[in-house]
Amino acid sequence: MKVIDLTHTISEDMPVYPGTEQPKLKPANSYEKDGFKETLLCMYSHTGTHVDPPSHLYAEGTSLDAFDASRFVGRALKIDCRDIADGEPITMAALNSRLELARQADFLLFNTGWDKKWGSEAYFGDYPCIADDVVDFILSTDKKGIGFDVIGVDPIADSGLVRHRKLFKHNEIVNIENLKDLDKCPDGLFWFFALPLKWKNADGAPIRAIAFIED
């Protein structure tokens, strides 16, 4: 088997969504003083590689802890969008050549190549976003979730979060942001795990996202 880590490392100097604070990793206990090491973590629930549930946008929406764990595991398909120019929409044209696999997948993971900009101001730029026809396809095929190697499913300039709202308003689906190294995933279906921290009424949580490729 082969395991591919699709997760950015959490650190105090990592990129965060504009307007939020960077994580704080404060030493709480030390080898010298206490005989063991422990760290106090302070960070927003949507830090780094993370997952959004419907409760991120809607008070009556399902929170992460209310989902069965099976909701975060399934067969995924990588959609290669690296040829789409900055600011251009990801339309069904990106999926049409692999439509049957896209229908079978539990998760669609959109590989824009934007993760290579991680750590620079360019990461907050005009990344490609999925168009309405892709959102409609996702919802009509009852996906468990979708994922991106960018900081949001909506453009940073869209304060209305139109795509988030359409995804979550009437659907039990999760949205994963800030993935990395999707280009290392195979072209066919593969196992995908995106298990979040389980905290009460979770509106989002960091995950350790991995691709699992069977021999």
Side-chain angles (χ1 to χ4, degrees):
M1 68 174 185
K2 181 180 182 182
V3 174
I4 303 171
D5 192 349
L6 306 176
T7 316
H8 287 290
T9 301
I10 293 173
S11 66
E12 292 190 328
D13 59 353
M14 70 187 296
V16 294
Y17 198 84
T20 63
E21 298 175 11
Q22 289 175 308
K24 295 179 177 63
L25 285 68
K26 181 181 178 181
N29 298 96
S30 68
Y31 304 120
E32 297 77 15
K33 180 183 176 184
D34 307 289
F36 62 93
K37 182 180 179 182
E38 190 172 21
T39 303
L40 175 63
L41 307 178
C42 182
M43 59 187 175
Y44 280 70
S45 52
H46 297 259
T47 293
T49 306
H50 69 274
V51 60
D52 304 338
S55 66
H56 181 38
L57 271 289
Y58 294 101
E60 69 280 10
T62 305
S63 59
L64 285 177
D65 53 305
F67 277 120
D68 188 84
S70 63
R71 194 73 192 185
F72 308 109
V73 178
R75 302 290 270 178
L77 181 70
K78 172 186 69 177
I79 306 298
D80 194 343
C81 308
R82 289 175 293 176
D83 61 343
I84 297 177
D86 296 2
E88 291 298 310
I90 300 169
T91 68
M92 283 300 297
L95 283 73
N96 282 337
S97 65
R98 316 183 70 212
L99 207 51
E100 188 52 41
L101 284 176
R103 287 195 178 98
Q104 295 174 30
D106 299 305
F107 294 88
L108 294 181
L109 307 180
F110 294 86
N111 176 28
T112 70
W114 212 260
D115 58 315
K116 309 311 178 194
K117 304 175 189 286
W118 179 263
S120 71
E121 282 300 315
Y123 192 70
F124 303 98
D126 203 8
Y127 45 80
C129 295
I130 52 174
D132 269 352
D133 59 350
V134 176
V135 177
D136 290 340
F137 174 80
I138 290 163
L139 296 178
S140 70
T141 52
D142 195 28
K143 297 290 176 250
K144 289 184 177 181
I146 54 175
F148 303 87
D149 55 4
V150 300
I151 204 165
V153 64
D154 291 289
I156 286 180
D158 183 6
S159 60
L161 303 176
V162 172
R163 293 163 185 80
H164 274 94
R165 293 188 182 282
K166 186 170 182 178
L167 284 167
F168 292 148
K169 189 169 186 179
H170 300 296
N171 305 282
E172 298 291 275
I173 189 170
V174 297
N175 171 56
I176 302 156
E177 297 168 341
N178 295 323
L179 291 165
K180 75 178 189 77
D181 291 337
L182 290 173
D183 54 303
K184 297 180 180 180
C185 294
D187 290 331
L189 294 173
F190 55 90
W191 282 104
F192 176 68
F193 297 76
L195 302 174
L197 292 174
K198 189 177 182 181
W199 59 278
K200 190 173 182 179
N201 298 324
D203 56 76
I207 59 173
R208 186 70 176 262
I210 62 167
F212 179 87
I213 293 89
E214 299 167 293
D215 293 332

